[in-house]
Amino acid sequence: MNLRAVWAIYRVEMARAFRTVLQSIISPVISTSLYFVVFGSAIGSRITEIDGISYGAFIVPGLIMLSLLTQSIANASFAIYFPKFVGSIYELLSAPISYLEIVIAYVGGAATKSIMLGLIILATAALFVPLRIEHPFWMVAFLVLTAVTFSLFGFIIGIWAKSFEQLQLVPLLIVTPLTFLGGSFYSIHMLPGIWRTITLFNPVVYLISGFRWSFYGKADVSVGVSLGMTLVFLAICIAIVAWIFRTGYRLRN
Amino acid sequence: MQLHETPFGLYQVTSFRQSFQPMPSILSISGVSKTYATGFKALKEVNLDIQRGEIFALLGPNGAGKTTLISIICGIVNRSSGTVTVDGHDINKDYRAARSLIGLVPQELTIDAFESVWRTVNYSRGLFGKPANPAFVEKVLRDLSLWDKKDAKAITLSGGMKRRLMIAKALSHEPRVLFLDEPTAGVDVELRQDMWAMVRRLREDGVTIILTTHYIEEAEEMADRVGVINRGEIILVEGKAELMRKLGRKQIRIELREPLSSVPDGLSRYALELSGDGTELTYTYDNQSDRPGVASLIRDLEASGIQFRDLDTKNSSLEEIFVNLLRQEP
Ligand SMILES: Nc1ncnc2c1ncn2[C@@H]1O[C@H](COP(=O)(O)OP(=O)(O)O)[C@@H](O)[C@H]1O
Ligand SMILES: [Mg+2]
């Protein structure tokens, strides 16, 4: 195991986050605060509570997931797309480093950043609403699992993308809509019958539901199913990454 | 020239001779082909052995496949067939050992623009699994006149400085084989001189250097051996001196005592050129042609009653050899 290489990549990725601290950390904090002001007070004045939880507190897990998903994808896809774009990827490909090590370093870096971000949002939220976390272990588990899974997903997008447009296509056209429709701001029980069924095909619903359960002990779908779905998505991403590296897809051709 | 008719004949002779060298080759390429996804065949059954510690120049026109070949050896591009070993390590089965011996300075300037020079170079060292060694990295930067710029971001560097940085990255992990892909394309004189000084120093330390170039003077000045590649095929591999001897053309300029109005018939088989003012004859021949030699020319000059004041000979440069070779290609 070339741990020095993993560490070298990881450090550069973290350094990038601190260099672009405004973009990486402050802007999500501001946008989260805005969500609170807009959704929390505008809608919160009409819906006072869901499942016995105040509306402001109810949306916190969803908001964290929202940022966690988009930032994991953005961080990881950019981290691998950028060297491809400027050509400096040659060095990575010529280094005595295994595929597994490359993935650990890049995905680890991206996931670390988005986990830190999730925690910052959590701290920001605590300033607005009273929070409680009933299952801290599972809270952290969902946080880490989601960050890793979607960083892997971002990594795949970064390797697949041939242009900046493509890089933003998947997050914009698929991930963001799925996240907004994933029950961040409402309980899916509030939807009329047919929509509730359709929503169950949205994988983000399971992530948010499971994550919210770890806070308040209340879930839209059972927590076992949430965990299972997350692991399935993780397995799919790992399989795709393994295939990419076995074939050299868009890397060594 | 017979070379194009038996292009591999010459090559085989070379590799036969190599098998008697005491040291095994440090880089061995056999039967390497590459077909790109577009269907384009960039390399066709390339065989090449590079000897330990030599400076090898790979010469070829644009699009010949030089970068493709280097990229395959370094693990950047997958080959379609063939095997490559570096110091006995297969580049696939034993990629860690093979790659950690190699340093690459690619053709294009490709650097993460937002990192400082110092970080960039240390990152490269780490990537190749070497423990941090600030003193060594400092020495590399000083040797390349980059020390003053160690805290500068790559984006603020001039083109020449960026090129130095690329070299520093390649040297940061103490490679035993160094690839320089068109190292002096668009580079100023000072950097070119620094680079050659560096290449010589590295060679003294036993580093094997493989460079590609269009600038044939460079191959002529630096290389121990030269390989010529065209359209994905190695047309020949030769020691530089032997190549010049075998393929070089010679010219003899003869300064006459009395101007001539035309070349006498008795000398027609030499196809001599007469200068405008009639005071100089030029005889061109190559070492492989069956044109008669200098001795018979001098005899025949005397027989025709032509007296000469002076005579001087000139060997053709590698450039001329190269152009000739490519012209011979079908
Ligand atoms: N990724 C690629 N896909 C298709 N063709 C390529 C690719 N890279 C290079 N080529 C083609 O392969 C040939 C050899 O290219 P290259 O190895 O860069 O030549 P050189 O370095 O000798 O100039 C060229 O004709 C080039 O157009
Ligand atoms: Mg090239």
Side-chain angles (χ1 to χ4, degrees):
Chain A
M1 189 92 174
N2 185 350
L3 285 176
R4 288 198 184 97
V6 174
W7 180 234
I9 297 171
Y10 185 85
R11 262 182 38 176
V12 165
E13 287 309 306
M14 295 314 285
R16 196 199 310 285
F18 288 111
R19 216 170 35 228
T20 55
V21 75
L22 205 67
Q23 203 182 320
S24 324
I25 291 171
I26 297 181
S27 81
V29 168
I30 291 175
S31 58
T32 308
S33 306
L34 288 176
Y35 279 127
F36 263 111
V37 173
V38 175
F39 285 87
S41 30
I43 301 175
S45 61
R46 288 159 187 265
I47 310 170
T48 43
E49 48 179 51
I50 299 175
D51 292 344
I53 307 154
S54 81
Y55 185 72
F58 178 85
I59 65 173
V60 171
L63 277 180
I64 295 175
M65 274 291 164
L66 195 72
S67 298
L68 203 62
L69 292 186
T70 45
Q71 290 300 312
S72 295
I73 292 175
N75 286 335
S77 63
F78 185 77
I80 193 71
Y81 178 77
F82 184 69
K84 244 179 45 167
F85 177 71
V86 300
S88 57
I89 189 119
Y90 83 89
E91 195 177 27
L92 192 64
L93 298 177
S94 67
I97 176 169
S98 72
Y99 293 136
L100 182 65
E101 289 155 6
I102 294 178
V103 173
I104 290 174
Y106 277 103
V107 169
T112 308
K113 279 185 266 182
S114 50
I115 289 169
M116 279 163 50
L117 182 76
L119 296 175
I120 290 171
I121 294 173
L122 188 63
T124 314
L127 301 176
F128 289 86
V129 288
L131 287 176
R132 66 168 198 278
I133 300 169
E134 284 190 7
H135 309 282
F137 170 81
W138 288 108
M139 196 279 279
V140 172
F142 271 110
L143 197 69
V144 172
L145 259 179
T146 308
V148 168
T149 303
F150 282 82
S151 295
L152 267 171
F153 187 53
F155 188 82
I156 294 169
I157 293 172
I159 284 178
W160 164 79
K162 282 183 170 169
S163 63
F164 273 103
E165 287 76 48
Q166 287 189 345
L167 195 65
Q168 281 162 352
L169 202 67
V170 176
L172 202 69
L173 290 187
I174 301 174
V175 179
T176 310
L178 286 184
T179 320
F180 273 92
L181 301 174
S184 298
F185 301 110
Y186 53 86
S187 162
I188 61 170
H189 296 310
M190 296 163 76
L191 295 172
I194 175 75
W195 288 106
R196 197 183 308 165
T197 315
I198 290 175
T199 300
L200 291 177
F201 289 97
N202 178 357
V204 179
V205 165
Y206 300 91
L207 295 175
I208 292 178
S209 168
F211 196 49
R212 190 179 289 132
W213 169 84
S214 71
F215 279 75
Y216 308 118
K218 300 265 166 48
D220 287 350
V221 291
S222 105
V223 66
V225 175
S226 287
L227 190 62
M229 289 296 275
T230 313
L231 292 174
V232 166
F233 197 55
L234 177 65
I236 292 173
C237 289
I238 289 174
I240 296 175
V241 167
W243 174 82
I244 284 175
F245 281 136
R246 209 176 49 244
T247 58
Y249 173 77
R250 291 202 178 166
L251 275 180
R252 285 196 157 94
N253 278 313
Chain B
M1 237 184 287
Q2 324 230 299
L3 197 73
H4 76 282
E5 287 163 14
T6 55
F8 290 103
L10 191 57
Y11 169 70
Q12 276 156 7
V13 170
T14 314
S15 52
F16 181 68
R17 191 173 52 79
Q18 276 174 12
S19 63
F20 288 99
Q21 300 274 325
M23 295 280 256
S25 55
I26 187 143
L27 173 64
S28 181
I29 301 162
S30 78
V32 167
S33 296
K34 172 67 186 177
T35 308
Y36 277 110
T38 55
F40 183 80
K41 242 180 159 333
L43 292 176
K44 301 163 193 163
E45 289 283 318
V46 169
N47 295 296
L48 186 61
D49 276 277
I50 304 295
Q51 287 159 26
R52 200 175 297 272
E54 76 174 331
I55 300 181
F56 186 91
L58 193 57
L59 278 179
N62 259 329
K66 303 181 294 291
T67 301
T68 303
L69 184 60
I70 290 181
S71 302
I72 286 173
I73 299 165
C74 295
I76 297 162
V77 167
N78 285 335
R79 64 196 177 282
S80 308
S81 62
T83 54
V84 180
T85 59
V86 184
D87 205 10
H89 306 289
D90 184 282
I91 57 162
N92 275 79
K93 287 190 212 86
D94 209 358
Y95 68 92
R96 281 191 207 265
R99 289 186 199 162
S100 51
L101 294 170
I102 296 178
L104 166 64
V105 183
Q107 192 172 347
E108 312 285 341
L109 293 173
T110 49
I111 314 178
D112 183 344
F114 305 107
E115 286 292 346
S116 73
V117 167
W118 179 253
R119 254 185 190 284
T120 303
V121 177
N122 280 288
Y123 166 77
S124 298
R125 189 174 165 88
L127 207 53
F128 279 74
K130 289 279 191 317
N133 185 344
F136 179 79
V137 173
E138 176 174 344
K139 184 180 175 308
V140 169
L141 292 180
R142 283 190 190 280
D143 284 352
L144 287 159
S145 318
L146 267 176
W147 182 244
D148 294 346
K149 303 270 182 198
K150 71 178 167 54
D151 297 317
K153 285 185 177 175
I155 199 169
T156 66
L157 298 180
S158 67
M161 283 293 174
K162 282 197 186 109
R163 174 83 54 187
R164 285 171 196 264
L165 177 53
M166 303 285 291
I167 300 171
K169 279 158 74 73
L171 295 179
S172 68
H173 58 272
E174 303 164 62
R176 301 308 298 158
V177 180
L178 181 66
F179 286 94
L180 300 166
D181 197 358
E182 316 240 352
T184 54
V187 147
D188 60 34
V189 178
E190 192 193 347
L191 175 50
R192 190 180 295 200
Q193 282 167 353
D194 282 4
M195 197 136 63
W196 293 150
M198 176 203 81
V199 165
R200 291 200 181 90
R201 270 200 309 275
L202 288 170
R203 205 253 294 260
E204 275 163 29
D205 293 340
V207 177
T208 307
I209 293 145
I210 297 145
L211 56 96
T212 71
T213 177
H214 312 300
Y215 297 111
I216 292 153
E217 318 87 69
E218 278 173 14
E220 204 164 341
E221 190 189 338
M222 299 300 303
D224 301 312
R225 286 197 311 148
V226 176
V228 178
I229 183 169
N230 192 34
R231 297 197 192 119
E233 285 178 279
I234 300 267
I235 332 177
L236 91 121
V237 177
E238 269 290 6
K240 185 181 64 188
E242 285 153 90
L243 182 66
M244 309 261 299
R245 188 167 49 73
K246 274 196 193 153
L247 300 178
R249 297 198 308 166
K250 283 196 171 158
Q251 270 190 341
I252 300 180
R253 255 186 31 231
I254 303 154
E255 216 177 299
L256 305 174
R257 280 194 192 283
E258 310 279 322
L260 284 177
S261 54
S262 65
V263 182
D265 288 346
L267 299 173
S268 61
R269 65 184 183 123
Y270 296 101
L272 297 173
E273 281 168 57
L274 185 63
S275 64
D277 60 1
T279 59
E280 222 177 75
L281 281 171
T282 308
Y283 177 40
T284 308
Y285 64 107
D286 62 51
N287 294 325
Q288 296 205 329
S289 78
D290 40 17
R291 287 224 192 153
V294 194
S296 77
L297 173 65
I298 291 172
R299 265 196 316 275
D300 288 349
L301 281 173
E302 271 168 13
S304 316
I306 298 173
Q307 297 199 319
F308 54 88
R309 206 195 309 264
D310 201 3
L311 183 149
D312 91 82
T313 64
K314 174 176 159 275
N315 280 313
S316 60
S317 67
L318 207 45
E319 166 115 39
E320 290 162 290
I321 296 175
F322 180 63
V323 170
N324 265 335
L325 259 176
L326 295 184
R327 204 178 284 143
Q328 302 280 331
E329 278 274 284

